[in-house]
Amino acid sequence: MEGSEDLESSLLTQPWASVCFGESAFLAKAYFRDTGYILLISDLSSVWYESADAEAVGQRSKELNKRLTVHVSSFLHRLCNLMCPLLAGQPDDATSFSCHRAAGGLSLHVKSELSGLPFYWDFHCCPAPVEMVSRHLVRPLIRMSLALQYQVEELTSLLLQKDAEIEDYRESGAALSRDRLRTEPFQEERFQQNFMAESLPQICGAGEGQAFASALQQLYLAVMQQEAKQARKRQHSEATEIPVPAAETAGHPCPPSPSQEDETASSSEGITPAASPAQKPQLPAAKAKPKKAKGLFS
């Protein structure tokens, strides 16, 4: 049976989604299996979570839905079908969600139908541990910001190359057939100043509900997949570096094959450890920027 740690490991690869309960905006992510579920939700001031196994789900379902006698796996399947469309931005009109905040946590109430009968569910979320918040939000956001910074540097380099190419065409006697296509040479410093003065206030004033748009969700998934891959490499490296005493191998004349070692490392994979403060993420070296073009068509 999948434990709470396994559920959280699976939750790492789920993207954050923007959801609204009443007038309040939240970020949420969830993972469901036949053996239980885990839910993580935040209003960017606090973070709450709930992890429930099949036994807890069965007990609560009896308390909230006395007229329903379906199997626990059916409850979990129904909860998944209710939450996943909500997280995908396509909530079911026949289902209502409401939340209540208290000093000790947050409760999310769900009201829907199952087999023609009323279906109720309450998620009882408690404050998430600091390490959990770091794994699912802080460290991924830092890596995402580094990835986006590298992307900006690559795009800046590409724009400067395009300006140099256009300048070369102009000096060779080429002319625009449509004057409306004319552009000014890209100036990185001016672009940064305009972005800070014009675009940034609009972004910050848009509210917190759009923190993870679809493009950022894809970047979040890519970052978490890379982190999981690096964790597997580290675990495999540590496993191969630890010498095994001869006394321990005496009863095992046939050592495991490399494929078996990989499967063992994969199955024993835990939560990705935090990077040491002294270690900096290694990004590919950005391409050298070409010399800025003197100008475009004048």
Side-chain angles (χ1 to χ4, degrees), residues 13 46 52 80 107 132 135 139 151 164 238 276-277:
T13 58
S46 301
C80 181
S107 296
M132 189 178 191
R135 281 193 300 267
R139 290 208 307 263
Q151 186 181 63
E238 291 172 358
S276 170

Side-chain angles (χ1 to χ4, degrees), residues 102-167:
L106 178 141
S107 296
L108 177 60
H109 181 67
V110 184
K111 180 179 179 181
S112 185
E113 290 185 359
L114 179 60
S115 302
L117 295 174
F119 174 83
Y120 303 99
W121 189 258
D122 290 334
F123 293 96
H124 299 307
C125 302
C126 61
V130 174
E131 176 60 23
M132 189 178 191
V133 177
S134 177
R135 281 193 300 267
H136 290 269
L137 198 56
V138 178
R139 290 208 307 263
L141 287 178
I142 291 175
R143 290 183 172 90
M144 289 169 66
S145 66
L146 290 174
L148 291 172
Q149 177 62 32
Y150 177 75
Q151 186 181 63
V152 168
E153 292 175 358
E154 287 286 281
L155 290 173
T156 298
S157 177
L158 182 61
L159 282 172
L160 295 174
Q161 291 179 50
K162 291 294 184 182
D163 279 350
E165 180 180 358
I166 292 173
E167 177 67 12

Side-chain angles (χ1 to χ4, degrees), residues 207-241:
E208 299 171 345
Q210 300 299 322
F212 276 84
S214 58
L216 290 181
Q217 287 181 337
Q218 295 299 319
L219 179 59
Y220 179 91
L221 287 176
V223 166
M224 299 310 293
Q225 288 169 357
Q226 288 297 320
E227 183 171 346
K229 184 184 298 184
Q230 293 300 321
R232 287 194 294 269
K233 289 182 179 179
R234 286 194 297 268
Q235 289 184 351
H236 180 71
S237 176
E238 291 172 358
T240 56
E241 288 177 1

Side-chain angles (χ1 to χ4, degrees), residues 252-265:
H252 302 277
C254 297
S257 64
S259 60
Q260 291 174 327
E261 292 179 354
D262 291 342
E263 292 174 0
T264 302

Side-chain angles (χ1 to χ4, degrees), residues 48-90:
W48 305 272
Y49 86 105
E50 183 187 31
S51 179
D53 58 16
E55 182 179 356
V57 171
Q59 181 62 34
R60 192 179 305 173
S61 65
K62 293 177 181 178
E63 298 172 358
L64 297 174
N65 303 277
K66 300 183 183 301
R67 299 171 61 187
L68 291 173
T69 57
V70 297
H71 194 270
V72 173
S73 60
S74 298
F75 274 96
L76 288 165
H77 183 70
R78 179 58 178 164
L79 285 173
C80 181
N81 288 339
L82 294 177
M83 290 297 296
C84 290
L86 175 70
L87 297 176
Q90 301 173 343

